Amino acid sequence: MFLSLPLETPVKKILLPLLIAVPLAAQSYELGLNISRQAYPSNTGSFVLGTGKVEPQDKTVVAGRFGYSFFDLGPALFQVTLAYQPKVDTEIRLNGANTGTSLGDEYWGVGAMFNFKALVAVGAGVEYRSEKITGFGNTTTYGRPWARVNVGYAFPTPLVKPFIGLEVAAPLTTKSYNDSLTSEDILKSFAPKLQVGLYGGIRF
């Protein structure tokens, strides 16, 4: 025997909006690979390597990303992302000369994106990255938000949709160098300042 609940009951007041919202959820997954040229800031001062201008060299980095779009807002999809970049080492130069030492960088990140639907798709969002930076005989972790913008094209195939595009990412906060910084903050002042590259993968 089934009980008939009036429409005004708390149970139906809670369930009805949920049942209406379920069809609006866009269950779309994304697996991507980001290949970027990563740039670092240079600083001038007194370091364990010597006195002068210290310059980590630009480096090509590769990061994997997983995304899940769960809200279709009409002209845009709202997506959450997880990312990981394995450690890469780049050469450190002092006054233009190779020092034989390197700066290491790796990160994991979690973020949110708005992907706008168009012939040429545009995405914009923010990603929080926990960056592990090594160099000068020290290691530190630097947590900070990054802005991401990409422009690309998704191929309209039936099952999975391959996509490729250009992506630019930059940190929203940076650490400025001065001679009174701790060793950990000195490392943070050399943390990456810009990434520009290709982003591609599949959506399904």
Side-chain angles (χ1 to χ4, degrees):
M1 185 165 107
F2 297 96
L3 295 175
S4 176
L5 296 175
L7 185 61
E8 294 76 21
T9 62
V11 174
K12 285 195 174 182
K13 284 184 178 180
I14 294 171
L15 289 179
L16 189 60
L18 290 176
L19 292 174
I20 293 172
V22 168
L24 299 179
Q27 297 184 8
S28 176
Y29 298 91
E30 174 179 303
L31 289 175
L33 200 63
N34 186 13
I35 304 174
S36 297
R37 195 66 177 170
Q38 182 164 276
Y40 302 82
S42 59
N43 294 305
T44 301
S46 298
F47 304 91
V48 294
L49 302 175
T51 300
K53 186 177 183 180
V54 173
E55 300 174 282
Q57 301 301 292
D58 292 359
K59 187 74 174 183
T60 298
V61 296
V62 179
R65 186 175 287 123
F66 170 78
Y68 175 55
S69 300
F70 62 97
F71 276 122
D72 190 334
L73 305 175
L77 292 172
F78 180 72
Q79 180 189 62
V80 293
T81 59
L82 295 173
Y84 176 68
Q85 176 199 293
K87 183 184 177 185
V88 293
D89 293 304
T90 188
E91 175 189 313
I92 296 177
R93 293 183 182 179
L94 175 64
N95 298 322
N98 185 8
T99 61
T101 62
S102 62
L103 184 76
D105 173 64
E106 70 177 296
Y107 76 83
W108 64 262
V110 59
M113 291 282 289
F114 285 100
N115 291 312
F116 298 91
K117 306 169 191 176
L119 180 62
V120 176
V122 177
V126 177
E127 184 172 77
Y128 174 84
R129 296 183 181 181
S130 178
E131 302 170 63
K132 183 178 179 181
I133 306 166
T134 57
F136 311 112
N138 294 296
T139 299
T140 190
T141 300
Y142 194 8
R144 54 181 179 161
W146 283 61
R148 292 176 51 222
V149 178
N150 53 47
V151 179
Y153 178 76
F155 300 90
T157 51
L159 297 177
V160 298
K161 291 180 170 55
F163 67 91
I164 191 167
L166 174 69
E167 178 166 300
V168 178
L172 297 178
T173 60
T174 57
K175 176 71 69 175
S176 298
Y177 173 79
N178 64 68
D179 287 335
S180 63
L181 291 179
T182 64
S183 57
E184 288 190 352
D185 283 343
I186 287 175
L187 270 180
K188 292 177 182 179
S189 74
F190 286 100
K193 65 177 183 178
L194 182 67
Q195 290 180 336
V196 180
L198 295 176
Y199 180 49
I202 57 171
R203 296 187 177 109
F204 56 97

